[in-house]
Amino acid sequence: MKKWLISFIAIGLCLTVSTVWIYFSNQKVSAQSYVLSNQIFKADFSKAVSKDALEKEAVYLTDKSGNKVKAAYKLTNKGKSIEITGLQKGKYTLYVDEKYRLGKSEYTFEVHEAFPTVKSREELEAYFKLVMGSRENVKQETAEDMAMEAETKSTGSGGYSTTNNQVEGVEEADIVQTNGSHVFAISENNVVVNSIHDGKNMKMENKIRFTDSFYPSQLLLKGKTLLVIGQKNVYHTLDARDSQSRIDPAWESMTSVFLYDISNPKSPKLMREIASEGYMNGVRLNGDILYLVSTVMPRYWMMKENKDTELRPFTYDSKNSQEAEPLDYQQISILPDSLDGNYTVITALDISNPLVNEAKTKSFLGGSQQLYMSKENLYLTSVIYKNREAGTSKKMIWNPGEMDTEVYKFSLQDTSVEFVDSAKLTGTILNQFSMDEHNGYFRTVTTTGNPWDQNNTSENNLFILDKSMEIAGSITGLAKEERIYSARFMGDKAYMVTFRETDPLFVIDVADPKKPKVLGELKIPGFSNYLHPLGENHLIGFGYETTSFVPNGSKEPIIQTEGMKISLFDVSDFANPKEVDTEIIGGQGTYSPIQYDHHALFQHVEKNLYGFPVAIYDKLEGQEYSSYKQDGAMIYEITPEAGIILKAELLTKENPAQLYEDWESMIQRIIYANDFLYTIALKEMKSYNLDTFKEIGLLSY
């Protein structure tokens, strides 16, 4: 099992933290210094060691008594990495002989039986000193180089709309929620409560007003509880232990959740507020359990000027206190191989009894980018920057180096969130739809390199990991010189869209986790940003049409986007996927939120209706470039039998004098309840007959 735990290195202290680059004669070694017993210890070398290094015992371990240790040694990555297994609890030293290009070096690490937590302020300070030191090393190297980069089901059937969630049963937050009788929608920094008992006579029954310091961005609705999630700016000192000293007073951002009792929607009652410092990474509602994930950047650089700088993240719970307080050290751990310097804060609360139940919070040093949650597990990703060796990027003005991804797995059991394991994967993960969990296996697709970098051209990969985050199967090297634009996992199949000049849709068989294989590939113009399942044998793609042309004096074609494109894919013959229908909307510049936010998709499964907000741009006669034409919403009937059929254009009238969209009236979401369809904008809501799409009512707020 590959459970890479915290990386700690002794620097005159009993415990400091994380993976460390150690430099010897312009070489570097990255080594863990803490792992769990019976798991893999791994070290990475900047230059490969010889194949016979192990045979000649030029790379070996000793125990705390200096005796050589018998273990399973394995050189990987063409000699640039080593993996050692079969280690028991204890302290070890890895030796690399100077003959093998690294200079005689030694690296001390320890094997423990349990996942350690930070135990003191001194340990936390040591970690951040290590972070600052590592970043200085990275800067020096960069300067030197420059001198020389789920199983899913459609929702929306029944009496009213539901959010377009990725995983059935795991609710995602959105800017609009409905229970069939009321619509709750964010309007600037307020939440409006609109009655839709009668679609012809909509009424605003209340407006939940927030102060200018809170900006609501997401809503969740569970029974009689409305959750309003957003960013709140709070003024506090970074050292909560001495409020009189006012050390570095500052505005700090916290991710806050306000819980309202809406038993009487006309008069919502605030029950509780919980918050965690930092910016929201994601929020999910799994049954009655709310999971809130935020990312915090502590001001660790201030340690040099002020030894009392508070390095712990703050949390707030109106049930227990009137002020934000720092987490206990025992609530802080350090994620494997992390020198990110940021915190990931995870708070869990059972909202079945929001006035009584305790909120549980844990914090992990190691920032997170993408988030995917199944019913049983939470997965967070963190980008790992790998600086290239000198000489590979002389022609590039700026070169951040290659990027890989660390995926962290946490088990979920009610409000208990426990770190399970992690894995380092080649390449980067696009978004949550590039990840999935099925039958205990985690599946993901990644992109390595850059389509436009001849020295490090891109290719794409699929990885399948078992419960212990070990790679069970993989496919690498797909669609060279292209990158992933969208992906979707559907049971035993994975679908992936890559693009550079054409849009290859890959159909991948993942039924056998150990032997995934590409079944078919379809190349068409354009690309899809979002793939949505239509039954088991069809996909709807939302993206752009593209054109290609070669400018004068160049041999390389230029690809430019045109109008918005809807594609209907037939994947019933896995070896021969087909694009059976398309729809092009507008010209260059046309866009819809569905292309970057899947929550913007309207769907009524029983009526086969799909829709989305849209802003249409097009070229007028004699124009070289597209200009704004109109905005609103488009509704389609989409079926495997009849294809894509336009049912309604709920668009504003064309006005040549209007140059841009009106943000106050521009449609953000489309929902339905009973026999009515509703469009929701920042300042207004309209109702339509769900059969004829005739406008019936208008409510301004």
Side-chain angles (χ1 to χ4, degrees):
M1 289 170 39
K2 186 189 300 180
K3 295 186 177 177
W4 298 357
L5 266 294
I6 341 182
S7 307
F8 280 42
I9 184 170
I11 307 180
L13 295 167
C14 64
L15 187 66
T16 59
V17 198
S18 207
T19 297
V20 184
W21 283 108
I22 304 176
Y23 291 79
F24 298 93
S25 305
N26 294 322
Q27 309 299 332
K28 55 182 181 290
V29 175
S30 173
Q32 297 167 270
S33 26
Y34 265 77
V35 293
L36 289 185
S37 57
N38 298 317
Q39 296 168 9
I40 295 175
F41 166 79
K42 181 176 180 180
D44 295 324
F45 309 135
S46 64
K47 291 186 178 180
V49 299
S50 302
K51 294 180 179 180
D52 60 353
L54 296 180
E55 297 176 4
K56 296 187 177 181
E57 296 188 342
V59 180
Y60 59 92
L61 286 180
T62 63
D63 59 22
K64 64 180 181 180
S65 300
N67 300 316
K68 284 189 177 182
V69 175
K70 291 183 179 181
Y73 299 82
K74 180 182 179 182
L75 287 175
T76 61
N77 193 23
K78 298 180 180 179
K80 295 183 70 174
S81 300
I82 188 170
E83 294 181 357
I84 304 175
T85 56
L87 300 176
Q88 302 301 315
K89 180 180 177 181
K91 187 174 182 178
Y92 300 89
T93 301
L94 170 67
Y95 287 91
V96 182
D97 192 276
E98 60 185 352
K99 293 187 298 181
Y100 290 85
R101 305 174 65 185
L102 292 167
K104 188 172 184 179
S105 312
E106 58 185 66
Y107 317 96
T108 299
F109 66 96
E110 296 183 17
V111 175
H112 282 251
E113 293 180 348
F115 183 45
T117 59
V118 173
K119 296 181 177 62
S120 66
R121 177 181 177 84
E122 288 71 26
E123 291 180 7
L124 206 54
E125 288 179 344
Y127 167 82
F128 285 114
K129 287 178 181 178
L130 200 58
V131 169
M132 289 189 288
S134 71
R135 293 192 173 183
E136 289 174 358
N137 286 335
V138 170
K139 290 179 181 179
Q140 293 170 1
E141 180 180 310
T142 303
E144 178 183 352
D145 285 351
M146 292 176 64
M148 303 258 320
E149 210 191 268
E151 183 174 3
T152 60
K153 294 186 179 180
S154 296
T155 59
S157 61
Y160 55 87
S161 291
T162 56
T163 303
N164 180 24
N165 301 311
Q166 180 183 8
V167 178
E168 185 181 20
V170 179
E171 294 293 323
E172 302 179 21
D174 196 14
I175 58 176
V176 172
Q177 296 287 342
T178 184
N179 58 8
S181 64
H182 290 79
V183 170
F184 305 86
I186 294 173
S187 177
E188 295 182 327
N189 68 327
N190 306 309
V191 175
V192 294
V193 182
N194 298 332
S195 171
I196 56 170
H197 284 98
D198 182 358
K200 298 178 182 178
N201 298 290
M202 300 174 291
K203 297 178 182 179
M204 187 184 75
E205 292 189 339
N206 204 311
K207 181 179 285 188
I208 305 174
R209 301 178 185 275
F210 296 93
T211 64
D212 291 340
S213 64
F214 177 71
Y215 302 91
S217 60
Q218 301 283 300
L219 303 173
L220 278 167
L221 186 60
K222 177 72 172 182
K224 300 299 182 181
T225 302
L226 174 70
L227 294 84
V228 183
I229 308 113
Q231 295 301 133
K232 184 177 183 180
N233 293 325
V234 293
Y235 189 78
H236 67 80
T237 65
L238 294 181
D239 190 348
R241 299 167 303 172
D242 184 4
S243 59
Q244 301 300 316
S245 66
R246 304 299 292 173
I247 296 171
D248 186 39
W251 286 99
E252 296 294 327
S253 182
M254 301 192 78
T255 300
S256 290
V257 181
F258 291 86
L259 294 93
Y260 286 89
D261 180 353
I262 55 164
S263 298
N264 179 7
K266 293 182 179 180
S267 182
K269 295 180 180 180
L270 178 62
M271 296 183 287
R272 188 172 179 180
E273 178 192 356
I274 62 171
S276 59
E277 187 178 359
Y279 294 93
M280 181 171 60
N281 183 327
V283 58
R284 297 289 190 272
L285 187 61
N286 190 348
D288 287 323
I289 311 300
L290 172 73
Y291 298 96
L292 180 69
V293 182
S294 66
T295 301
V296 186
M297 176 179 284
R299 299 186 177 189
Y300 54 82
W301 56 87
M302 295 184 61
M303 290 191 301
K304 293 181 179 180
E305 301 177 0
N306 194 325
K307 64 179 182 179
D308 293 324
T309 297
E310 181 57 76
L311 299 173
R312 293 172 292 172
F314 283 74
T315 61
Y316 171 74
D317 188 343
S318 63
K319 176 178 176 291
N320 302 322
S321 176
Q322 295 301 310
E323 294 184 358
E325 299 176 344
L327 285 174
D328 292 337
Y329 290 106
Q330 290 77 13
Q331 294 173 280
I332 302 172
S333 301
I334 298 141
L335 290 172
D337 295 330
S338 170
L339 272 181
D340 183 274
N342 294 331
Y343 286 100
T344 293
V345 182
I346 305 175
T347 298
L349 173 66
D350 185 341
I351 66 169
S352 62
N353 193 347
L355 289 172
V356 175
N357 293 334
E358 292 294 328
K360 296 183 180 180
T361 300
K362 289 187 177 181
S363 180
F364 301 87
L365 275 162
S368 55
Q369 281 82 39
Q370 303 298 336
L371 178 154
Y372 169 81
M373 181 183 284
S374 68
K375 295 284 289 183
E376 291 80 25
N377 298 293
L378 167 68
Y379 297 86
L380 299 174
T381 73
S382 181
V383 172
I384 303 170
Y385 293 91
K386 301 189 304 179
N387 291 289
R388 301 179 189 172
E389 297 177 22
T392 62
S393 57
K394 294 180 180 179
K395 296 182 180 180
M396 298 188 69
I397 297 176
W398 178 77
N399 174 30
E402 300 174 26
M403 293 181 287
D404 286 339
T405 300
E406 192 83 22
V407 181
Y408 302 106
K409 177 181 179 180
F410 301 83
S411 66
L412 307 175
Q413 184 64 43
D414 296 328
T415 56
S416 175
V417 179
E418 298 294 338
F419 175 79
V420 176
D421 221 323
S422 71
K424 183 185 292 184
L425 301 177
T426 302
T428 56
I429 295 174
L430 177 64
N431 57 30
Q432 69 184 68
F433 288 98
S434 293
M435 297 180 282
D436 175 77
E437 185 185 84
H438 183 66
N439 292 337
Y441 287 90
F442 174 74
R443 297 98 65 92
T444 186
V445 289
T446 71
T447 296
T448 60
N450 187 323
W452 312 106
D453 184 354
Q454 295 181 353
N455 295 317
N456 182 35
T457 190
S458 62
E459 59 183 41
N460 305 280
N461 319 288
L462 177 140
F463 298 103
I464 302 177
L465 289 78
D466 62 19
K467 292 181 179 180
S468 301
M469 298 298 281
E470 290 278 1
I471 295 178
S474 65
I475 303 174
T476 60
L478 291 172
K480 295 182 184 296
E481 300 184 351
E482 299 176 359
R483 74 168 179 86
I484 295 171
Y485 274 72
S486 60
R488 194 85 193 212
F489 290 87
M490 294 169 57
D492 291 338
K493 299 295 183 294
Y495 303 93
M496 183 177 73
V497 169
T498 62
F499 180 77
R500 180 174 177 178
E501 295 181 18
T502 57
D503 174 358
L505 170 68
F506 288 93
V507 181
I508 305 173
D509 183 357
V510 289
D512 184 348
K514 297 181 180 180
K515 297 180 180 179
K517 56 184 178 181
V518 176
L519 297 180
E521 178 182 351
L522 170 67
K523 290 193 175 184
I524 53 175
F527 58 86
S528 298
N529 297 105
Y530 172 63
L531 294 173
H532 190 79
L534 181 65
E536 296 182 356
N537 296 318
H538 291 79
L539 288 168
I540 307 171
F542 299 92
Y544 286 106
E545 178 74 329
T546 60
T547 58
S548 173
F549 66 94
V550 179
N552 293 333
S554 175
K555 295 182 180 180
E556 291 293 326
I558 291 179
I559 309 299
Q560 68 178 25
T561 58
E562 296 295 336
M564 179 179 171
K565 181 180 181 181
I566 309 173
S567 298
L568 178 60
F569 299 106
D570 182 343
V571 292
S572 56
D573 181 353
F574 300 130
N576 297 288
K578 298 177 181 178
E579 185 181 47
V580 294
D581 202 0
T582 62
E583 175 85 354
I584 308 298
I585 305 169
Q588 190 176 47
T590 299
Y591 70 93
S592 169
I594 186 61
Q595 293 165 314
Y596 55 84
D597 184 355
H598 62 284
H599 300 125
L601 180 67
F602 162 79
Q603 47 188 331
H604 192 305
V605 175
E606 293 174 350
K607 291 181 176 289
N608 302 310
L609 296 178
Y610 298 86
F612 45 84
V614 66
I616 299 176
Y617 283 68
D618 216 340
K619 293 179 182 178
L620 298 177
E621 187 175 348
Q623 281 187 335
E624 184 177 357
Y625 301 103
S626 295
S627 59
Y628 169 77
K629 182 179 180 182
Q630 56 193 148
D631 64 79
M634 307 287 282
I635 309 294
Y636 292 87
E637 180 183 341
I638 305 179
T639 62
E641 297 78 19
I644 304 170
I645 300 174
L646 177 64
K647 299 296 289 186
E649 293 180 298
L650 310 180
L651 302 172
T652 57
K653 293 182 179 179
E654 294 185 42
N655 180 4
Q658 184 176 345
L659 301 179
Y660 305 101
E661 304 90 331
D662 180 352
W663 289 101
E664 292 190 353
S665 62
M666 187 177 180
I667 295 171
Q668 303 296 321
R669 292 293 186 269
I670 312 162
I671 65 171
Y672 77 90
N674 301 316
D675 298 326
F676 297 93
L677 179 142
Y678 301 89
T679 60
I680 296 97
L682 190 65
K683 293 289 188 177
E684 66 181 33
M685 187 168 76
K686 293 181 179 180
S687 61
Y688 299 81
N689 182 288
L690 190 54
D691 292 320
T692 65
F693 300 103
K694 179 181 178 181
E695 184 176 336
I696 295 174
L698 169 65
L699 173 64
S700 299
Y701 42 81

